[in-house]
Amino acid sequence: MAGSNGTLREISRRTALGALGAGIVGATVASWPRLSGIDIPGRGDNSLSIAILGTAADAAARQRVIDAFTKVHPEIKVKVQAIQAADWKDFFTKILTMVAAGTPPDVVYVATEGAQLFAEKLAHPLDDYLRRDAADMKEYFADVHPSLVEAFMYKGSLFQLPIDWNAANIYYNTSALQQAGLERPADNWTQVDFRNTLAAMRKARPQDFTPYYWTNRLFGGVVPWLYANGTSFLKESKSTGGEWLWDTFYGQDPSRGLRSGGYQWLESNADDPLVYESFDYLRGLVKDGLGVRPEEGGGNSLVGLFASNRIGMTPAGGYWVEGLHTAGMKEDGFDVQFFPRWRTQRHQFGTAGYAIMKTAKDKDAAWEWLKFASSLEAMRLVFPTPNTTPARRSMVNEQLYAGRGPKHWKVFYDTLDKFPTTGPIPAPPQQAAVETALMKNVSLAVSGDENQLKQALASMQRDLEIALRRQA
């Protein structure tokens, strides 16, 4: 994403979702100061301290929302602390350090990657507040897809209200598609259609061009392909409970029967034959020059490469729209489509929202902040441009994307509405160790022969088993 100096830089989904979900415009930087209790605005007084991923400038960008909140609740003083970190994993480590030091914030903006870590160890459930204020909250839930809410359920309780989210959709370069003599892919295109599209792009652009660019991470890496193929690298199950929430707020929703007390990822699944099949498909793309090895190039130049017509397709969320616009790409220069269908057309998403810490000095005041932050008024202040996908369906509209694109912006929210089994990033409380185990083996799995692939998946299975035995 382009900063104020015009330098192109790409923000990872984890960084972008947290930063932009908190109303942040710039990227995080590579270094950060040591944190202590005195670094937290409001510590030592009665202010409600709120921690977000970002910089001091990012915290200042929240002022419009704070001012609007203060008009409604003049009795609650709010101060925002932006914590600089390389990604969500590093951000959560810093929060844990603050907790250990006895100086935790009262409220933290948490993405899917850390939702279960916080629910298990750090966060206070919202159940009693939601029961008490059900009448006030019905408008919010009516505007938010239940899949996003379910991602923040844990063992029958809700711990966060979704504020923004992003699915792994396919961005494609319209000129690259036209040069290959192809029309827009069908909504129900398959993994075979996808490969054929890449091959046509490669034939039309044999040099200085990457038909498919993907990265080695939890979001937009191998996981969307696993979901589309009806599997994952972790065995997915669901907790019981949560009926109180679903019956109160989603009793008439057609997907009510799918909802649960929250996702569980308790065992490794890397030895599933469908996992092998999915990796082998990606290995074939790399082998035939249709897709980049996921560790190549990193993500720093991705927006610029895409905007300069050197990449055909890549998975990304709605947060990419503003980045491409800032990079100078015209609204008709790119478009989006659903992820290809395989055995299913289930998509992957990540979401984010505020969590109240168990140690919050005034949980009632913290709840009032969560309520206001989820309001239409607050979210319009936070998301004036398409630098993420708002959790509220009503905000994902033509006005948001006017002058920026893409033409088929409806794909973003339709990913949930048309595919209600679409699921969150697989992130148990041990997410940091799990992600490390995954990333360690992905590149090896897709960059050699079949025997190397089998060895890599066997290594991944062992690493995941060890990761899941760890305490969060």
Side-chain angles (χ1 to χ4, degrees), residues 114-123 152-154 159-160 358:
Q116 292 201 358
L117 168 65
F118 275 72
E120 178 77 16
K121 300 285 187 180
L122 304 170
F152 286 146
M153 293 288 288
Y154 187 66
F159 285 86
Q160 297 169 241
K358 288 179 180 178

Side-chain angles (χ1 to χ4, degrees), residues 94-338:
K94 292 177 185 297
I95 296 294
L96 289 170
T97 300
M98 295 162 70
V99 171
T103 57
D106 298 310
V107 177
V108 182
Y109 199 78
V110 180
T112 313
E113 288 89 334
Q116 292 201 358
L117 168 65
F118 275 72
E120 178 77 16
K121 300 285 187 180
L122 304 170
H124 181 76
L126 306 180
D127 305 9
D128 290 343
Y129 289 115
L130 288 168
R131 288 188 177 100
R132 186 193 72 188
D133 295 345
D136 295 336
M137 296 303 299
K138 282 191 174 181
E139 181 273 336
Y140 165 81
F141 286 107
D143 203 17
V144 175
H145 197 279
S147 291
L148 301 179
V149 177
E150 189 177 19
F152 286 146
M153 293 288 288
Y154 187 66
K155 297 181 179 179
S157 291
L158 186 67
F159 285 86
Q160 297 169 241
L161 299 176
I163 300 297
D164 72 315
W165 70 286
N166 290 284
N169 297 119
I170 293 293
Y171 278 68
Y172 63 88
N173 186 299
T174 53
S175 64
L177 202 69
Q178 291 164 3
Q179 287 174 1
L182 300 173
E183 302 290 334
R184 170 180 167 77
D187 287 358
N188 64 344
W189 62 328
T190 69
Q191 90 281 8
V192 175
D193 299 326
F194 182 84
R195 182 185 171 90
N196 290 340
T197 300
L198 297 181
M201 286 182 171
R202 167 57 72 210
K203 185 176 180 180
R205 296 275 301 276
Q207 302 295 328
D208 195 29
F209 179 78
T210 301
Y212 181 57
Y213 194 111
W214 60 297
T215 53
N216 184 7
R217 59 187 185 191
L218 269 178
F219 181 86
V222 68
V223 177
W225 291 106
L226 297 173
Y227 277 20
N229 203 16
T231 189
S232 181
F233 69 97
L234 299 178
K235 292 182 180 178
E236 180 182 295
S237 59
K238 291 188 176 185
S239 300
T240 58
E243 288 83 6
W244 64 272
L245 185 141
W246 305 119
D247 291 343
T248 301
F249 299 111
Y250 292 99
Q252 304 305 312
D253 190 278
S255 67
R256 165 65 184 90
L258 297 172
R259 306 306 162 192
S260 69
Y263 286 85
Q264 297 180 120
W265 298 280
L266 304 177
E267 299 177 67
S268 174
N269 196 48
D271 56 1
D272 181 0
L274 294 182
V275 171
Y276 176 90
E277 182 181 47
S278 305
F279 270 90
D280 195 43
Y281 173 85
L282 290 169
R283 186 181 70 86
L285 298 184
V286 174
K287 175 175 172 286
D288 295 339
L290 303 179
V292 69
R293 284 179 57 181
E295 76 276 26
E296 289 185 10
N300 293 332
S301 60
L302 184 51
V303 168
L305 289 172
F306 193 92
S308 60
N309 300 319
R310 293 174 60 189
I311 293 175
M313 294 192 288
T314 193
Y319 60 87
W320 240 44
V321 174
E322 186 68 9
L324 292 176
H325 173 73
T326 306
M329 200 165 200
K330 302 299 183 184
E331 60 183 300
D332 60 353
F334 71 99
D335 211 338
V336 292
Q337 183 51 291
F338 300 119

Side-chain angles (χ1 to χ4, degrees), residues 448-462:
D449 58 16
E450 293 182 8
N451 188 52
Q452 182 170 308
L453 169 57
K454 292 176 182 177
Q455 291 174 352
L457 292 181
S459 173
M460 185 186 299
Q461 178 74 10
R462 292 191 299 270

Side-chain angles (χ1 to χ4, degrees), residues 18-87:
L20 299 174
I24 295 165
V25 177
T28 57
V29 296
S31 61
W32 45 83
R34 180 183 63 84
L35 288 168
S36 67
I38 60 173
D39 293 323
I40 306 171
R43 183 61 58 191
D45 62 29
N46 292 322
S47 298
L48 187 69
S49 59
I50 300 172
I52 62 172
L53 173 63
T55 65
D58 302 326
R62 300 293 293 163
Q63 195 58 47
R64 285 192 305 161
V65 180
I66 294 172
D67 291 345
F69 176 76
T70 302
K71 289 181 181 178
V72 180
H73 292 284
E75 76 283 4
I76 302 175
K77 189 177 181 182
V78 174
K79 293 185 179 179
V80 174
Q81 165 73 2
I83 297 174
Q84 300 175 30
D87 56 19

